[in-house]
Amino acid sequence: MTRNFPGRVDVAIVGSGPCGAAYARVLSERRPDLTIATFEVGPLLAEPPGVHVKNIADPAERARAQRRSEGPASAPAPAGAGEAAPRLARAGTFLLPDGYRQPGEDGLPNVAMSSNVGGMGAHWTAACPRPGGSERIPFLPGLDDLLAEAERLLGVSAHAFDDAPFAAEVRKRLSAAFDTGRTGDRQVQPMPLAVHRHEDGRVTWSGADVVFGDVTRANPRYTLFPEALVTRVRVADGRVRGLLVRDQRDGTEHEVRAERVVVAADALRTPQLLWASGVRPPALGRYLNDQSQVIFAVRLRDVEAAAGIAADPDGGPEIVRHSGVSWVPFTDEEPFHGQVMQLDASPVPLPGADRPAPGSIVGLGWFCAKDLRASDRVAFDDRERDGYGMPAMRIHYRLTERDHATLAAARAAIRRAADALGEPLDPEPITLALGASLHYQGTVRMGTSDDGTSVCDPTGQVWGVQGLYVAGNGVIPTSTACNPTLTSVALAVAGARHIGHTLAPRQG
Ligand code: FAD
């Protein structure tokens, strides 16, 4: 049976990840008079919509939810032949099947996306550090207020693992290696995480469900449409008019008129949809930046004795509480950011049949800030189509000399951290294939004027198209090394507030 899509809404949101959800939440709180609809190409994984897959208790159900997030079945599996490092997709994500590298360039071999209600926010690690130094957006008024609001929406806490027995020792050792000369906010500290520690000790991870919150779920004027691909944003006479949606269940197409359209479809597919809609400002897709990533695994030295406890050999799924998650913040002098976490929450694979004492092996991940250049970009091909029938992506991407120097310094820093903590499991830190960070930014960046170097203004509104907003990591204009979601949710809050202030109540 054909689904009923609304003929008209006040606000249409494309994408149901944390940033699209932030628009729905802020508008539900501030403007309950507005009709709002979210269109999401991926399926609903579980209730409540946007839930993090780690909160799905049954392992088979969780694995199924991850597989259902992995994009159109027509996308061919990545071959990876001839790659220096394997092309690896994290569970719940799918790699761009082709076009990820142009001849003679570095490319982004591991560039990936998620298609599901909740987006990548159903699969993420939930690290939510605040940006510092040159990572911060200098022209944005009230950035700290916006970040605080984003922390509220995501349910961020730096104290979820305060009682992790090895955490204090891990941070003491990292502090000794890194804190000299750093201001307080840039010293080693617990990583703020979007997780909730329940009274019974259980931990749940925030997905878009937490951002939506009860207020959105209870809003009678709000509707979420899963398996609904937005193929066009309708624009006429410098104003947004609505969008065209394809029901993925039966292939039918539907026009939806809207006063405001928010495209929060990730840093690759937001510019793709604008391109497909004929909205093509010069900076669209440009300044693409990924955070080059270095990883290392370390067996903590003498940790049970230092923490004064015996390790629990049957740690099981609660293992994460032993060493918590620690943060070595970005500084302008050291333009990378480190996170140190127990291995069950980290991307570093454990070698062979090694069965460590719970919490005694930590994964280290260092992320580098990129040297921003307009020539690094996602371009779109009007003749070739992707698995959804949208313009195919072509990634143009190179590391500069400065990027190589930053990577070398990050490798030295992760080695310094590892030596402070214990014995590394590998002889050398591992540099992951570009794109592995899953933190792509800059492609719809904000700026202060329509000078060709930005796509939107500080409220997220696209230059020259009244009522069209963009959201997500692509909006971040600075070069950051910290995990970007907290910042992009903060920017979404600014955009949603702007809509809330400026959209007149509907007449009649
Ligand atoms: P997304 O969450 O990507 O959501 C975009 C949604 O738009 C998707 O659901 C997609 O299906 C939908 N969409 C796309 N095109 C269309 C269309 N045309 N029509 C309809 N719908 C469309 N970030 C951090 O800050 N900290 C971390 O610790 C962290 N760890 C991560 C670990 C993993 C394994 C992964 C996968 C990601 C991680 N990230 C982390 C990244 C984080 O998940 C993203 O930054 C965040 O989800 C971005 O939110 P978003 O709403 O902008 O986009």
Side-chain angles (χ1 to χ4, degrees):
M1 204 175 78
T2 299
R3 272 191 289 180
N4 284 328
F5 285 85
R8 184 188 183 291
V9 293
D10 293 310
V11 183
I13 301 168
V14 186
S16 65
C19 293
Y23 268 86
R25 165 77 172 269
V26 172
L27 288 169
S28 293
E29 285 179 345
R30 295 189 164 217
R31 291 294 304 273
D33 58 310
L34 300 178
T35 50
I36 308 166
T38 297
F39 302 94
E40 164 57 57
V41 67
L44 179 66
L45 301 178
E47 292 288 344
V51 69
H52 197 296
V53 297
K54 274 199 214 171
N55 303 346
I56 301 174
D58 176 37
E61 271 303 305
R62 192 183 318 133
R64 184 167 172 270
Q66 288 168 330
R67 276 196 310 278
R68 294 181 72 218
S69 307
E70 293 170 3
S74 57
E83 296 293 339
R87 296 186 72 211
L88 291 177
R90 302 277 295 275
T93 72
F94 60 100
L95 296 168
L96 189 63
D98 51 39
Y100 55 84
R101 183 195 291 124
Q102 307 312 311
E105 299 187 357
D106 296 303
L108 290 178
N110 271 12
V111 73
M113 296 160 268
S114 296
S115 286
N116 53 275
V117 172
M120 277 195 183
H123 311 281
W124 70 326
T125 312
C128 284
R130 285 191 178 205
S134 60
E135 290 183 312
R136 290 169 61 87
I137 303 159
F139 55 79
L140 199 66
L143 178 61
D144 289 314
D145 163 56
L146 295 169
L147 290 166
E149 179 66 353
E151 285 163 347
R152 179 180 78 91
L153 299 189
L154 286 159
V156 175
S157 164
H159 302 292
F161 300 119
D162 272 357
D163 57 353
F166 303 160
E169 186 60 27
V170 166
R171 284 196 270 284
K172 195 171 107 192
R173 295 177 190 183
L174 290 171
S175 290
F178 288 96
D179 280 355
T180 308
R182 288 176 174 238
T183 55
D185 67 318
R186 298 285 103 191
Q187 290 181 347
V188 172
Q189 54 196 282
M191 175 66 85
L193 294 168
V195 301
H196 184 71
R197 181 81 177 265
H198 299 264
E199 279 182 3
D200 62 4
R202 226 169 16 102
V203 172
T204 50
W205 303 79
S206 298
D209 60 331
V210 170
V211 180
F212 282 127
D214 288 338
V215 68
T216 311
R217 285 185 286 272
N219 181 353
R221 294 194 169 87
Y222 175 76
T223 319
L224 167 68
F225 293 93
E227 296 169 79
L229 174 73
V230 176
T231 55
R232 295 275 182 289
V233 176
R234 297 291 195 204
V235 172
D237 305 322
R239 269 194 58 190
V240 81
R241 305 290 168 164
L243 38 79
L244 183 63
V245 186
R246 184 183 305 144
D247 189 341
Q248 296 293 91
R249 295 178 185 170
D250 61 10
T252 54
E253 301 219 308
H254 305 264
E255 290 281 354
V256 179
R257 283 181 294 134
E259 294 296 315
R260 302 284 186 271
V261 171
V262 179
V263 185
D266 80 39
L268 300 173
R269 289 179 284 180
T270 294
Q272 180 189 49
L273 180 55
L274 265 57
W275 177 271
S277 308
V279 178
R280 299 178 179 184
L284 189 73
R286 293 187 178 274
Y287 302 95
L288 170 64
N289 64 102
D290 159 59
Q291 300 167 346
S292 297
Q293 198 183 347
V294 183
I295 59 172
F296 218 11
V298 171
R299 191 183 296 268
L300 296 175
R301 185 185 303 121
D302 303 331
V303 77
E304 287 95 345
I309 62 151
D312 167 12
D314 302 318
E318 303 301 323
I319 191 169
V320 74
R321 291 203 210 126
H322 283 82
S323 48
V325 184
S326 300
W327 175 30
V328 183
F330 165 97
T331 64
D332 288 337
E333 294 70 36
E334 294 191 289
F336 29 80
H337 138 114
Q339 58 194 56
V340 176
M341 53 200 192
Q342 196 155 309
L343 214 47
D344 63 334
S346 118
V348 188
L350 263 181
D354 196 348
R355 285 188 58 81
S360 65
I361 295 196
V362 289
L364 287 67
W366 253 239
F367 298 83
C368 299
K370 172 93 175 74
D371 185 11
L372 298 187
R373 299 180 324 145
S375 54
D376 294 322
R377 65 195 189 281
V378 52
F380 303 99
D381 191 323
D382 279 323
R383 290 152 308 169
E384 299 280 324
R385 301 274 128 185
D386 70 8
Y388 288 112
M390 299 293 283
M393 297 178 198
R394 301 284 177 253
I395 305 285
H396 297 260
Y397 202 80
R398 289 176 201 265
L399 295 185
T400 65
E401 274 182 30
R402 198 162 119 201
D403 290 325
H404 285 291
T406 304
L407 246 177
R411 288 173 66 87
I414 204 171
R415 159 69 70 184
R416 182 155 42 111
D419 289 344
L421 290 170
E423 279 74 45
L425 299 189
D426 288 299
E428 290 299 328
I430 300 160
T431 303
L432 297 183
L434 296 177
S437 76
L438 306 164
H439 299 162
Y440 319 122
Q441 302 163 89
T443 53
V444 286
R445 71 205 297 248
M446 63 169 50
T448 50
S449 67
D450 184 9
D451 61 1
T453 67
S454 59
V455 168
C456 67
D457 70 17
T459 69
Q461 198 165 192
V462 174
W463 297 117
V465 188
Q466 203 195 329
L468 175 59
Y469 291 71
V470 283
N473 301 334
V475 176
I476 297 173
T478 47
S479 173
T480 75
C482 72
N483 321 63
T485 310
L486 180 76
T487 302
S488 32
V489 168
L491 302 182
V493 168
R497 286 179 178 172
H498 188 254
I499 293 179
H501 288 141
T502 55
L503 187 52
R506 200 195 291 191
Q507 302 297 313

